[in-house]
Amino acid sequence: MRRLCLAAGAAFLLLGWAFAGSGFGMIGHMAGHMIAVAVAAPLLAFAIASTPADPATRFPRIVTPLAMSVVELVVVWSWHVPALRLAAEAYPLVLIAEQASFLVAGLLLWSAALGAAGDARWARRAGGVAAMLLTSMHMTLLGALIGLAPRPLYAGLHAAHGMEPLADQQVGGVVMLMIGAAAYFFGGLAMLASLLRLREARS
């Protein structure tokens, strides 16, 4: 099962990077971003959970759910500042840094919520529920701000699909809402169900 998740996570990650580098404007960017943090990252985190490669196991005092949710918030909101978003489209090295930081932030968050074994597992799942819901909220807010903005925030962005910048931006915001916000919300609910099962087992 772990090997299957690892292979699937790697495949989705490559797919996300292909979208991000496709030149499809905000739609391609958002598709790549969401695939990386909301699909590939949880699969990879599950594959390495409670192993020596798991950052939550190696650094349990640093890689905690709420701390990593704040890290992801800072990373995601920073890269959607118009100047940085346009720089990522213009310069390949900046794009690589952007996509790498998305992956690292997503992997740390999901690992913090899923990782660690033994007595720490219950506490991490409890923190994971709060972290996932917080992340879902800030993804929803950012997606709404981008999608509902009355003017193009990334006016210098030219997409290969030929859509107008505002329409491209609006669809990109919808992609963030549909994939990112939903994935973290349902991830939080799944962790809550797991937490309740763990509680029953302990009692």
Side-chain angles (χ1 to χ4, degrees):
M1 185 63 179
R2 287 180 181 268
R3 290 182 179 179
L4 179 61
C5 286
L6 185 64
F12 275 112
L13 184 60
L14 292 175
L15 177 63
W17 285 346
F19 272 111
S22 65
F24 272 28
M26 284 300 292
I27 296 175
H29 162 73
M30 284 298 190
H33 176 193
M34 293 301 102
I35 290 171
V37 301
V39 182
L43 288 169
L44 295 173
F46 180 80
I48 64 173
S50 302
T51 70
D54 179 11
T57 299
R58 294 175 63 88
F59 311 103
R61 294 185 179 182
I62 298 173
V63 184
T64 62
L66 290 177
M68 294 304 102
S69 71
V70 173
V71 169
E72 172 137 351
L73 185 153
V74 172
V75 168
V76 169
W77 282 71
S78 295
W79 281 111
H80 288 90
V81 171
L84 286 179
R85 179 82 284 281
L86 293 173
E89 288 291 329
Y91 303 104
L93 288 179
V94 180
L95 178 63
I96 291 170
E98 175 195 64
Q99 293 302 313
S101 63
F102 284 154
L103 174 62
V104 171
L107 185 60
L108 286 173
L109 176 56
W110 287 98
S111 294
L114 294 173
D119 294 338
R121 189 179 180 191
W122 193 91
R124 283 191 175 273
R125 290 294 168 87
V129 172
M132 291 291 142
L133 294 180
L134 174 63
T135 305
S136 176
M137 289 169 60
H138 85 71
M139 287 274 191
T140 299
L141 178 58
L142 182 58
L145 288 174
I146 291 172
L148 298 176
R151 60 181 179 81
L153 301 175
Y154 311 96
L157 191 62
H158 300 288
H161 50 57
M163 292 177 66
E164 292 295 324
L166 183 58
D168 176 47
Q169 178 180 300
Q170 290 169 339
V171 177
V174 171
V175 171
M176 174 172 265
L177 287 168
M178 290 182 63
I179 302 177
Y184 284 103
F185 178 75
F186 287 112
L189 291 182
M191 286 183 191
L192 179 59
S194 174
L195 184 64
L196 293 175
R197 288 195 298 269
L198 285 173
R199 185 176 180 181
E200 286 183 4
R202 291 180 67 177
S203 62

